[in-house]
Each structure stands twice: as structure tokens, then as C-alpha cells.
Amino acid sequence: MEVGDLVDRARQRQPRAVARLISLVEDASPQLREVAAALAPHTGRAEVIGLTGSPGVGKSTTTSALVSAYRAQGKRVGVLAVDPSSPFSGGALLGDRIRMQDHATDPDVFIRSMATRGHLGGMAWATPQALRVLDAAGFDVVLIETVGVGQSEVDVVSLADTTLVLLAPGMGDGIQAAKAGILEIADVFVVNKADRDGAETTVRELKYMISLGRREIRGATWRQPVCKTVAARTEGIDEVTAAIAEHRAWMVERGELAERRTHRARTEVEAIAVETLRSTLGNLRGGDTLDRLAKQVMAGHLDPYAAATTLIEDIKAAN
Amino acid sequence: MEVGDLVDRARQRQPRAVARLISLVEDASPQLREVAAALAPHTGRAEVIGLTGSPGVGKSTTTSALVSAYRAQGKRVGVLAVDPSSPFSGGALLGDRIRMQDHATDPDVFIRSMATRGHLGGMAWATPQALRVLDAAGFDVVLIETVGVGQSEVDVVSLADTTLVLLAPGMGDGIQAAKAGILEIADVFVVNKADRDGAETTVRELKYMISLGRREIRGATWRQPVCKTVAARTEGIDEVTAAIAEHRAWMVERGELAERRTHRARTEVEAIAVETLRSTLGNLRGGDTLDRLAKQVMAGHLDPYAAATTLIEDIKAAN
């Protein structure tokens, strides 16, 4: 099928066309550039919500509850579940799909598990493109869910308009461990499983941390709200969507939303350029340039910087 | 001081010169290339051992015990402790230095905590260069210690000749959680805190996992040994060094050591080239090219692939 046709069908709410387009971008198919060009004019409308947290805090359950809440508002919802588990196995989380089955028959919900592919740039490469597909296909809200570990977390933050960080009581030193990064990335905190022992302690510790860390944007402080939920019973979910809406209004008022989105586009363009150059590196003169240089470095005849310079000269010379 | 002078002094076992050289590479100083060139002819001798595992398994204690064991063999030992904690905070682990104080007065031991710097490529950038400094300075063994989480773990594996994966009993579903990646990256397993309840269960589960997963290299199978240690009392450490030596001999016999090291050099050269190109991207025409393109992408006037192509053309045109 023609790419233009596929995009038209995706925009006519045909889930198969959406799935096909995501596969094309995920597999970095030869049509990738054509797909990207066809999508571009239709993008920029979706509200993008990132959702992260340690394993066991109830991310998928919360995502599922948020999907229901947005559906009740009449919005079409896309979900991208990113599995950064192992850089080696790279499998998608089957569990996510199972937990999402409530929505399986709803044509206005589209759920996709993204496998991160290999080394650097997995998430940075495929997920933004899948997001562009859902955006162009007219999904009003796109939820991106990822485990709160390292790089993929950062990548989600760079994609989202609003980032939710989930915690749960009784996760041992969860807050302590997470402390380093979560204050900086969270726009909204969600303490899930709030019916459990220790929920109040978690909320109190969190509020204390928030009171210490100031997060200024253009002179104004966004004080991160802390929502309590029992996602499995959809309790507190409306407070979460309200907090997201409030954060959005706050950003729009300050020009911060446009700022974040420009930053997102910048990151995306940069990631594509770097990946393109990286693959050029591997392919120079039939792929043996890098190997030849590596052997010289290993033997001590060349240092890695001099080798990299040679490689870059080769790229500039290549057409 | 001249770079050549510094390298000479480092090779004469002056710890200050070693520290200064590592700082130069870590800070990406303007002399970085000169340093790399001066080091190159003296590299390729050190035996590189990677050590990874979840927080709490006793990595630093084990590292410290291994340092003692190699010192007892008359070897000079370098340690690079990599802290991948938060992509945001990026601080080095003070604790490591404290635990290593046994060796603080030994001139033939050099310990350095590496802070990972920012986004992608932190570890990939600075740690290999620090390793080259220690290698050139005549350290016979370099231990690279990192928390077993995500990318930094992968990076350590790509640097090491032999990778140790540490586990401890009673870490809950440690093996389960770690399962995805550890079988593939471990050359030697170490079950530390083996005097604790559940040690035998951990060993048994591990051996069962190993029996399922076959790890073939050029038709030969390296069956990962499982060592039991109580590192705090230096029990079982000699078995670990013996297992490392055995793995090394096995690799040398099969040409696998040279293969791993070529791969290491390849990764290193590639990472430097990519980082160099990435910084070129940011600096094109005073840094505004990327911003201008990002704004066009955000507005839907341009797709990110077309923008990346423009950026790359600009790089090729730039001198």
C-alpha cells in the first residue's frame, strides 16, 4: 500500500493502518522518510503524558485507569508502553497488553508495546516516531509508559508535555533510592496503592522533599502536586487528570509548552542525525574502515581520537 | 606541565600524574587528543575485569578483596568505580572511596570514582580513556566496578576482558529480576555473602539457569563458573581470581581476547566520532541551525528526517 494511503486510513481511524505505520517506523523501513514526511503536517495536536516509576508501583494499572478516564471525557487515547528491561533481550512486556485488555475492543484506544532496540538510541529513535503516528492519526492523548530506570526514563521526559512519577507505599527505600532524579523529572506525583500501610508516610516524605527542592521555570514555581490513587479501583484518577490539566494550563500560560515541544523536536532531529551518522560510520567502504581503525588502536599504533578523526573525514568525503 | 612529561611520570608510578591525566580525559580538556596520542603506544597490556551487580550485593567489598588478592600476586591494580545513579545528579560514590581506604597508602593501587557525565555516552566517553591512562601507567589489572543497571552495565561489559556478575542471597527476587541480562553478560558469577541463609538456593538456581542457557563462542561453550564468597572476610576470593585466570586462558586459546579487544576499540572509536559529530550539530552556525529546524518540525512544516538530512549536509559542508 502507498504511504499516503496508509496515512489517510490512519487518519480515518483504522487501527490496522496505525499499527502498520508504527511497524514501518519501528523497523526503520526504507519508507520511513516518506512516512515521516506524510505525517508531519498532521502533527502537534496530541497531548503527551509520560508515566514512569519503579517496577511494582502499578504503572500499567494506572495507565489503564487513565485511559478509561480520558475515554469518559470523549478523548481518543493512544498508549505506548516502552520496555527498557534488558538491552540484550529487548522484548516487549506481554503483561502490559494483558492488563490493557479492558480497552481491547474500543476502537478509540490504541495500545502498543515498543521493544527498545539494542544499544543507544533505541527509545530515542522509534518512540518519537510512533508518537508522531498516533498524533497524526488524531489521538487526543498519548500516554507513554516506561519503567523508571536510567536512560529510557530521561527519554520519556523529553517526549512528554507532562510527566507523572508513580510511587507506592511499602516499597522499602523507594523514595530514598529514587530521590536523585525524580524531583527533577516529575510534573505530577502519584502515590498509588494509597490504601496500603505507609501511604501517608510516603505522601508526607514526598511533600517534604518537594518543599525543599524548588523548580523554577521563568521565575515561576510549579509546585508538583501529590495525588493519591488506588488505580486498581480507579480511585483518585480524576484528581490525576485534573492535576495534568492544571499543569498544562500553567505551561501554556508561560509559553513553556511550546518551549518543551521545541526541545522535543530538537532532541528528535539530533537523535536521527546522530543515528544516521552512526550507521554511516559502520558502512564506510563496505564496513571495514572502522574495523581497520579499531585494529590499529588495539595494537597501539593509533589513538582512538585520531581514529575517530579519520572516520569523520571519511564521512565528510562520502556522498 | 607538558603532556609527554605527565605520561612519563605516570609510567614512573607517580600517582599524581596518573590522577592528573585521568582528570584531563574526564574533563575533555583541550589536551585530550594530545594525551590520547601520548598514551597509545603504551596500551594493551592491562587485564581488564568488569564487576557488576545490584545495589547491596557487596561490589565494593569484593573489589577491595580482589585488589588485595592481586596485590598478593605482586600485581599493580587500578580501580575505576563508575556511578551511573542518576542521569541528573551524576555524583560519584563517596562510599566507594571510604571502603577502599585499606589500599589508600599502597602506591601500587590506584582508585578513582568516575562521575558519569550527563546524557548519552557518559560512561562510553570518559571511562575507556581513564582505562587507557591506567593501562599506559603500567597497572597490570584494572577493575571496573559499576551498578548493574542498564546502559552503564553494557558499557562495562564492552570494556572488560572478563565480566563478573555479583549476586547475594536474600535479595528477594534478585535472580528473577536480573535474569533478562545477566546470563548473557557474565563470564564468572560470584554469589557473595555466601554465609547467609539462602546462599545454596541462589547458587542452585543460578546453576540451573546456566545449564539452560548455552553460550557458544566459535563453537566452544564457556560454562560460567559460580564462585561463593564472603568478601568481607576475603573468603573465596582466590577461587574468583582462579576463575578469572581460567576464563582468560580459555579466551586466549580461541583468539577471543583479541576479538573482544578489537570490539572494544571499535566501540570506543565509534563513540568518540559520534560525540564529536553530536557537538558539531549543536555548534553549527553559532548553534541556531538545530533550533531553527526544531521549530519548523514543531510547526509541522518539516519532518524530523528531512531536518536531520539538512543538518548532516551542513556538517559535511562545515570545516
Side-chain angles (χ1 to χ4, degrees):
Chain A
M1 195 183 295
E2 294 287 321
V3 164
D5 243 28
L6 264 180
V7 172
D8 285 346
R9 286 174 192 228
R11 291 177 47 73
Q12 287 154 22
R13 313 193 167 190
Q14 296 187 13
R16 274 188 163 175
V18 175
R20 180 88 188 94
L21 284 170
I22 294 183
S23 294
L24 286 176
V25 300
E26 205 179 20
D27 300 342
S29 91
Q31 290 165 297
L32 182 59
R33 281 160 188 277
E34 203 187 332
V35 171
L39 295 173
H42 309 294
T43 55
R45 295 185 187 90
E47 181 172 351
V48 187
I49 299 164
L51 199 146
T52 186
S54 307
V57 296
K59 283 185 299 297
S60 295
T61 316
T62 305
T63 300
S64 184
L66 284 170
V67 170
S68 301
Y70 283 116
R71 287 298 297 129
Q73 295 179 15
K75 291 179 175 168
R76 300 182 69 217
V77 188
V79 176
L80 297 173
V82 182
D83 172 22
S85 59
S86 161
F88 296 96
S89 68
L93 298 164
L94 187 62
D96 284 339
R97 299 186 204 174
I98 292 167
R99 263 173 240 119
M100 295 289 176
Q101 265 176 357
D102 294 352
H103 309 290
T105 55
D106 184 340
D108 290 319
V109 175
F110 186 92
I111 296 164
R112 177 82 167 215
S113 288
M114 307 285 295
T116 59
R117 32 193 72 248
H119 205 53
L120 296 163
M123 168 82 180
W125 176 272
T127 308
Q129 305 313 315
L131 170 58
R132 296 175 75 80
V133 171
L134 295 178
D135 186 0
F139 288 94
D140 303 293
V141 175
V142 179
L143 295 163
I144 307 180
E145 179 196 324
T146 189
V147 171
V149 176
Q151 194 52 47
S152 65
E153 192 179 51
V154 182
D155 290 331
V156 162
V157 173
S158 82
L159 285 178
D161 300 331
T162 298
T163 299
L164 310 185
V165 171
L166 265 66
L167 298 160
M171 299 285 291
D173 47 3
I175 294 194
Q176 210 55 25
K179 220 179 198 170
I182 62 172
L183 262 188
E184 281 133 298
I185 66 169
D187 297 308
V188 174
F189 283 103
V190 178
V191 176
N192 191 31
K193 305 186 182 178
D195 54 344
R196 291 206 184 163
D197 283 351
E200 284 311 318
T201 310
T202 303
V203 169
R204 199 168 48 240
E205 284 177 16
L206 206 46
K207 287 190 171 165
Y208 178 67
M209 275 170 58
I210 293 168
S211 73
L212 295 178
R214 290 180 64 82
R215 204 152 153 275
E216 289 208 3
I217 294 167
R218 267 182 273 279
T221 304
W222 170 251
R223 207 166 273 280
Q224 297 122 307
V226 178
C227 303
K228 284 186 284 184
T229 57
V230 185
R233 297 199 303 261
T234 70
E235 288 173 22
I237 295 298
D238 289 341
E239 284 75 10
V240 177
T241 56
I244 294 168
E246 201 185 325
H247 177 247
R248 186 175 194 78
W250 186 89
M251 284 196 300
V252 169
E253 203 177 302
R254 280 159 189 80
E256 174 64 17
L257 185 61
E259 190 70 26
R260 285 198 182 190
R261 291 187 161 201
T262 304
H263 181 77
R264 182 204 304 174
R266 196 186 144 101
T267 306
E268 198 179 341
V269 172
E270 193 189 50
I272 293 167
V274 167
E275 276 302 314
T276 307
L277 290 167
R278 187 193 298 278
S279 75
T280 311
L281 295 182
N283 293 331
L284 284 171
R285 294 189 205 142
D288 72 338
T289 302
L290 186 48
D291 271 333
R292 192 172 41 74
L293 291 167
K295 279 182 183 134
Q296 288 180 265
V297 169
M298 193 188 64
H301 301 300
L302 199 67
D303 74 79
Y305 287 88
T309 303
T310 306
L311 208 55
I312 290 171
E313 291 308 318
D314 270 26
I315 286 182
K316 288 191 181 171
N319 276 306
Chain B
M1 195 184 293
E2 294 287 321
V3 164
D5 243 29
L6 265 180
V7 172
D8 284 346
R9 285 174 192 228
R11 291 174 49 70
Q12 287 155 22
R13 313 194 167 189
Q14 296 186 13
R16 273 189 166 174
V18 175
R20 181 87 187 95
L21 284 170
I22 293 182
S23 294
L24 286 176
V25 299
E26 205 180 21
D27 300 343
S29 90
Q31 289 165 298
L32 182 59
R33 283 161 185 275
E34 202 187 333
V35 171
L39 295 173
H42 310 294
T43 55
R45 295 183 187 93
E47 182 172 350
V48 187
I49 299 164
L51 199 146
T52 186
S54 305
V57 295
K59 284 185 297 299
S60 295
T61 315
T62 305
T63 300
S64 184
L66 284 170
V67 170
S68 301
Y70 283 117
R71 288 296 299 127
Q73 295 179 14
K75 290 179 175 167
R76 300 183 68 216
V77 188
V79 176
L80 297 172
V82 182
D83 171 23
S85 60
S86 160
F88 295 97
S89 69
L93 297 165
L94 187 62
D96 284 338
R97 299 186 203 175
I98 292 166
R99 263 172 239 120
M100 295 290 176
Q101 264 176 358
D102 294 352
H103 308 290
T105 55
D106 184 341
D108 290 320
V109 176
F110 186 93
I111 295 163
R112 178 82 166 213
S113 288
M114 307 285 295
T116 59
R117 34 193 70 247
H119 204 52
L120 295 163
M123 167 84 179
W125 176 272
T127 308
Q129 305 314 316
L131 169 58
R132 298 175 73 80
V133 171
L134 295 179
D135 186 0
F139 288 94
D140 303 294
V141 175
V142 179
L143 295 162
I144 306 180
E145 180 196 322
T146 190
V147 172
V149 176
Q151 194 53 47
S152 65
E153 192 179 50
V154 182
D155 290 332
V156 162
V157 173
S158 82
L159 285 178
D161 300 330
T162 298
T163 299
L164 311 185
V165 171
L166 265 66
L167 297 161
M171 299 284 291
D173 48 2
I175 294 195
Q176 211 55 23
K179 221 179 197 171
I182 62 172
L183 261 188
E184 281 132 300
I185 66 169
D187 296 308
V188 174
F189 284 104
V190 178
V191 175
N192 191 32
K193 305 185 181 179
D195 54 344
R196 292 207 182 163
D197 283 351
E200 283 311 317
T201 309
T202 302
V203 170
R204 199 168 49 241
E205 284 177 16
L206 206 46
K207 287 189 172 165
Y208 178 68
M209 275 171 58
I210 293 167
S211 74
L212 295 178
R214 291 179 64 83
R215 205 152 152 274
E216 288 208 4
I217 293 167
R218 266 181 273 280
T221 304
W222 170 251
R223 209 167 271 280
Q224 298 123 305
V226 178
C227 303
K228 284 187 284 185
T229 57
V230 185
R233 295 199 304 261
T234 70
E235 287 173 22
I237 295 298
D238 289 342
E239 285 75 9
V240 178
T241 56
I244 293 168
E246 201 185 323
H247 178 246
R248 188 177 192 78
W250 185 90
M251 284 195 299
V252 168
E253 203 179 301
R254 280 160 189 80
E256 174 65 15
L257 184 61
E259 190 69 27
R260 284 198 184 190
R261 290 186 162 202
T262 305
H263 181 77
R264 182 204 301 174
R266 196 186 144 102
T267 305
E268 197 179 342
V269 172
E270 194 189 50
I272 292 167
V274 167
E275 275 303 314
T276 307
L277 290 167
R278 187 192 298 278
S279 75
T280 311
L281 295 182
N283 293 331
L284 284 171
R285 294 190 203 142
D288 72 338
T289 302
L290 185 49
D291 272 333
R292 193 172 40 78
L293 291 167
K295 280 185 181 132
Q296 287 181 266
V297 169
M298 194 188 64
H301 300 317
L302 198 66
D303 75 78
Y305 288 87
T309 303
T310 306
L311 207 54
I312 290 171
E313 291 308 317
D314 271 26
I315 286 182
K316 289 190 181 173
N319 276 305

